[in-house]
Amino acid sequence: MSQRPLHEGLHLQTLAVRAAVERSQYGENSEALFLTSGYVQSSAESQARRFAGEEEGDTYGRSGNPTVRSMEQRLAALEGSEACMATSSGMAAIMLMCFSLLKAGDHVVFSQSMFGSTIKLIGSEFARFGVESTVVPQTDLAAWKNAIRPTTRLLFAETPTNPLTEVCDIAALAELAHNAGALLAVDNCFATPALQRPMRLGADIVMHSGTKYLDGQGRVMAGALCASEKMVNEKFLPVQKNSGMVLSPFNAWVVLKGLETLDLRMRAQSALALELAHWLEAHPAVARVYYPGLQSHPQHALAMKQMSGLGGAVVSFDVKADSPEQARARAFHVLDALQTLSICTNLGDTKTLLTHPASTSHGKLSEAQRQAAGIGQGLIRVAVGLEHPQDVQADMTRGLTTLV
Ligand SMILES: *Cc1c(COP(=O)(O)O)cnc(C)c1O
């Protein structure tokens, strides 16, 4: 089923509601949800041609689904990439990327501040199959450069990072990668194409957890890889077909409809996050705030240039304390005093979610590793949703005022 014809040069907001596969014979205005695992073939001859790749058309759910294709076409349009492949989760997207592009002896460079499961998947699981990797400090371009070896195939960056919102220079990393004959992949989860389009800055692959802002309302798990048509068809598709990390059509449909409001949500949630970051920075119980939209952020200028002048919707902060024990108790106190907002490790929801990274996402690290990563016991991550800012501040004030 082919792509719905669209004019050249349409804006992101238009593509977000219009890019999809062709309508069915019923002329539905809202994209249809095709919940089917198989497809009826018009003849044995046609079926044979489809299996031989000589005729367009679906055969089985693991090889393709029109609703999933609509989501892929819409996300590709937003990222400005030729093609996209949806996966069952963000981690499945990383799995598919590494499985498709790497072999024993190949080397990957990635940042030490990446999503915890990414570090474990590449650094430990793929290591069992002979894939080597080096972790580098996120913002140190020289370290990225020095880590590159003749066998380096992939540089993998995430910007901004979780939970400290460190930013790296995508264009500079793309140049480093290409000079070394390697590819640059960017996890664009936190900024989304509404704020940042890594392809335009030279990235070869954009990876997404659709679980976060693409769905945007905390409903489904999903993931995706955006890349050239050649890479998607020749590298990702064969592995995807045979491994089955496919996205459910229902989840694809939810993300497809979520994408329609992505730009609005990212702008609104970024504005609310900036307001909260300013408020936290002025609060006497707060030691430090991490947010790319603040002047105090070490890569503020780069972030504003790279992220359309917005900081995204994740704000982290340290509560003031004299010892790690006291910091942990104080952070827990702030979370436990919440009445409206949620204690929840997810992010990218319309509901504001708070979490304590040192005891959750970074809980398995040793205290020394945590210190090196800058994840203190007093650190709280706020994934800002769409509640009224006064209600958010009032709820956080309950715990924070008792610390002063
Ligand atoms: C959540 C997340 C992932 C993993 O995505 P899942 O959909 O949970 O598998 C990867 N990278 C970042 C930055 C994330 O926030």
Side-chain angles (χ1 to χ4, degrees), residues 88-94 114-115 117-118 156 158 160-162 187-190 207-212 220-223 346-347 381:
S88 51
S89 69
M91 290 318 301
I94 300 175
M114 290 194 80
F115 191 67
S117 294
T118 306
F156 190 18
E158 176 186 318
T161 58
N162 171 34
D187 180 334
N188 203 23
C189 217
F190 270 47
M207 173 258 144
H208 271 289
S209 165
T211 317
K212 313 294 168 53
V220 298
M221 303 290 297
N346 196 16
L347 63 99
R381 186 189 76 190

Side-chain angles (χ1 to χ4, degrees), residues 102-107 126 129-132:
L102 303 171
K103 60 180 188 320
D106 286 349
H107 177 245
F126 271 93
F129 299 93
V131 172
E132 295 168 1

Side-chain angles (χ1 to χ4, degrees), residues 107-124:
H107 177 245
V108 183
V109 185
F110 63 98
S111 142
Q112 68 188 19
S113 314
M114 290 194 80
F115 191 67
S117 294
T118 306
I119 296 178
K120 288 202 197 87
L121 181 66
I122 300 176
S124 306

